[in-house]
Amino acid sequence: MSDNSLARPALADLTTLGLGGPAGRLVTAGSADEIVACVQDATRSGEPLLLLSGGSNVVVGDAGFPGTVLLIRSSGVDVVGEEGDDVSVRVAAGHPWDDFVMRTVADGFSGVECLSGIPGATGATPIQNVGAYGQDVSQTIESVTVYDRTEGEVQVFAPEDCRFEYRHSIFKYTDRWVVLDVTFRLRRDAKSGPVAYAELARALGVAEGDRVSLADAREAVLGLRRGKGMVLDPGDPDTRSVGSFFTNPVLSAAAYAELNRRTVDAEPPAWPGADGVMKVSAAWLIERAGFAKGYTRGPVAISSKHTLALTHPGGGTTHDLLALAEEIRDGVHDRFGVTLRPEPVLVNCEL
């Protein structure tokens, strides 16, 4: 475990947005034991603690973070069990997510191929139930090993303990549990699961429900993500973002009916859920509220490729970014009566 306490490093250098003020202290942990030791130290001292890995789903305020920032840099992928064609694979929290996905495709393990190209570390994926192109990590997570700061012990959570929902889990919006590793139950199969997303099916030239090779699924997903500026590229300012800034709103039947009353000229894209709820396209709402791709406010902008991504090409502040987010949120609410919620974690700032 290394401690960079002599300087106050800028958190902007550790986030994909390139925004955020200084850290009070920066500590790097390369193993689960080091993560636990640092968390225990902070708990004993009462010092504020921020966990940071890939920095791809976090917005840090301009004042930075006054306490210790723990950089999680543990790594490792291990097959820990096999039963027939099912394979259990344990991944360290700090292991880069897309490196893991790439390895599963190479090894012929099906289950996360449609989650290719997502930046960040594996330990962050259960926190917000990361998903894309018809797959969510909750579909394959077998267990999550955590350190419980309240109980002072390491625990293993089964999927039902995690309370997974759309872009949400028990771990989100709390610092009680620190993810140490995640175990996935994958399938030894050279083909993907049934293609469950219309856009991906079109890119692959197949029907929804068809299966394709793992490699073809991965390449198609990467192509779609690149086209939306969702694969990190230092030469593309549209990738200086946290991916989708807003989640798709989930509306009750009554709220959805009210939305349709306000959109008599066109029906918003929506997907039905349990108990009559409807998940509505946030991108559609944003565009119909008057915010087009490339919409700029000072040094920040909506991506020129993807309406849900707010980008910081450079020279701006977190205040600038949140002012743009607020303008979009309020504009959508005024037009449609729907309140958009941010997807990334906001640290020492608010929207």
Side-chain angles (χ1 to χ4, degrees), residues 10-341:
L11 293 175
D13 296 334
L14 300 170
T15 65
T16 53
L17 270 171
L19 292 173
R25 186 170 73 111
L26 185 66
V27 177
T28 302
S31 69
D33 287 344
E34 290 183 352
I35 295 170
V36 171
C38 181
V39 172
Q40 288 174 334
D41 287 346
T43 300
R44 281 192 294 267
S45 67
E47 182 181 25
L49 179 67
L50 172 64
L51 306 177
L52 197 63
S53 48
S56 61
N57 194 51
V58 63
V59 180
V60 181
D62 294 315
F65 187 76
T68 293
V69 175
L70 175 59
L71 277 181
I72 297 178
R73 293 293 183 259
S74 55
S75 64
V77 177
D78 299 292
V79 173
V80 294
E82 297 191 45
E83 183 178 344
D85 289 330
D86 290 340
V87 183
S88 297
V89 184
R90 182 178 299 148
V91 189
H95 198 91
W97 171 253
D98 195 50
D99 285 2
F100 165 59
V101 177
M102 181 169 58
R103 176 167 169 175
T104 67
V105 170
D107 290 346
F109 298 161
S110 176
V112 293
E113 60 280 351
C114 294
L115 302 178
S116 294
I118 295 175
T122 300
T125 62
I127 294 173
Q128 70 161 34
N129 189 15
V130 163
Y133 298 105
Q135 287 183 343
D136 294 327
V137 292
S138 59
Q139 296 167 346
T140 51
I141 285 178
E142 183 176 280
S143 65
V144 181
T145 306
V146 301
Y147 175 71
D148 186 333
R149 298 182 69 180
T150 300
E151 299 297 330
E153 63 184 19
V154 174
Q155 301 173 346
V156 178
F157 277 46
E160 57 269 23
D161 301 323
C162 300
R163 300 181 193 171
F164 288 122
E165 298 176 20
Y166 169 64
R167 301 298 170 266
H168 192 76
S169 74
I170 195 173
F171 310 118
K172 197 167 184 178
Y173 305 129
T174 177
D175 62 359
R176 174 174 175 175
W177 296 286
V178 180
V179 177
L180 302 177
D181 62 55
V182 187
T183 299
F184 297 87
R185 181 173 286 259
L186 306 176
R187 188 163 182 81
R188 196 182 294 278
D189 193 330
K191 287 194 172 183
S192 70
V195 177
Y197 202 81
E199 183 184 20
L200 179 58
R202 288 194 298 269
L204 287 162
V206 301
E208 288 184 63
D210 285 352
R211 303 174 69 211
V212 299
S213 74
L214 295 177
D216 285 350
R218 175 173 168 78
E219 286 309 308
V221 168
L222 289 173
L224 289 171
R225 292 185 65 85
R226 287 192 190 98
K228 299 175 182 179
M230 293 292 187
V231 176
L232 293 179
D233 179 354
D236 183 356
D238 275 337
T239 70
R240 297 286 295 273
S241 76
V242 289
S244 296
F245 192 91
F246 296 105
T247 59
N248 292 321
V250 178
L251 305 181
S252 67
Y256 184 65
E258 172 62 17
L259 172 61
N260 275 311
R261 189 189 67 78
R262 294 185 180 218
T263 56
V264 292
D265 56 326
E267 185 175 346
W271 303 268
D275 302 321
V277 303
M278 296 291 285
K279 182 171 70 174
V280 178
S281 168
W284 189 93
L285 295 173
I286 291 169
E287 290 169 358
R288 294 306 191 282
F291 301 98
K293 295 173 185 174
Y295 179 87
T296 299
R297 178 177 174 138
V300 295
I302 295 176
S303 166
S304 65
K305 304 180 183 70
H306 184 33
T307 311
L308 283 181
L310 306 188
T311 67
H312 169 237
T317 65
T318 301
H319 176 79
D320 295 327
L321 185 85
L322 294 179
L324 173 60
E326 183 177 8
E327 181 185 3
I328 295 168
R329 180 199 63 191
D330 292 350
V332 167
H333 187 270
D334 290 345
R335 173 67 178 83
F336 298 112
V338 175
T339 300
L340 297 180
R341 307 292 182 189

